[in-house]
């Protein structure tokens, strides 16, 4: 699902909201998630999952074209962990 598809689905389920308002709401939610992660905070949606930041240690990697070794600095990467409800929905017990 793309951002525009999300906006369209929300607008269809809430006909009392104008499309511009739905676009603004989605933009504010995404911006808040991004700014919270940038500040090192954890963002959790109960039942869905949690976004957090993890540090990737510095390492030596290889350039795939040349085979030359390259130093890669420490980085912060986003991490998503599914919530219990989503995990159970995706992995039903047999």
């Amino acid at each position: 699902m793309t951002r525009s598809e999300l906006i369209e689905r929300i607008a269809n389920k809430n006909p009392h909201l104008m499309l511009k308002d739905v676009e603004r709401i989605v933009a504010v939610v995404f911006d808040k998630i991004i700014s919270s992660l940038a500040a090192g905070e954890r963002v959790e949606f109960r039942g869905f999952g949690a976004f957090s930041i993890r540090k990737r240690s510095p390492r030596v990697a290889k350039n795939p074209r040349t085979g030359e070794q390259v130093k890669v600095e420490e980085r912060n990467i986003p991490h998503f962990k599914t919530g219990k409800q989503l995990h159970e929905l995706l992995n039903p017990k047999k």
Side-chain angles (χ1 to χ4, degrees):
M1 176 186 302
T2 64
R3 184 182 189 136
S4 58
E5 289 171 341
L6 175 64
I7 291 168
E8 186 179 321
R9 288 185 185 186
I10 293 172
N12 289 340
K13 288 192 175 198
N14 297 282
H16 61 284
L17 295 174
M18 294 179 63
L19 185 62
K20 284 189 174 189
D21 292 335
V22 175
E23 289 173 349
R24 193 173 305 124
I25 290 167
V26 170
V28 167
V29 170
F30 286 166
D31 289 345
K32 185 58 182 167
I33 292 170
I34 291 167
S35 64
S36 295
L37 289 173
E41 298 172 7
R42 183 172 188 243
V43 180
E44 181 177 335
F45 297 102
R46 299 268 174 183
F48 178 69
F51 295 93
S52 60
I53 296 294
R54 293 208 174 158
K55 290 197 181 292
R56 181 174 283 172
S57 301
R59 65 189 197 286
V60 176
K62 282 189 178 181
N63 181 331
R65 289 186 184 167
T66 63
E68 178 183 348
Q69 289 191 342
V70 180
K71 289 184 180 179
V72 179
E73 296 179 8
E74 180 179 78
R75 294 176 181 232
N76 292 323
I77 57 167
H79 175 73
F80 178 75
K81 181 178 180 188
T82 58
K84 182 179 179 183
Q85 185 179 1
L86 178 60
H87 182 77
E88 289 174 354
L89 181 67
L90 296 175
N91 300 290
K93 293 182 180 178
K94 295 179 182 180

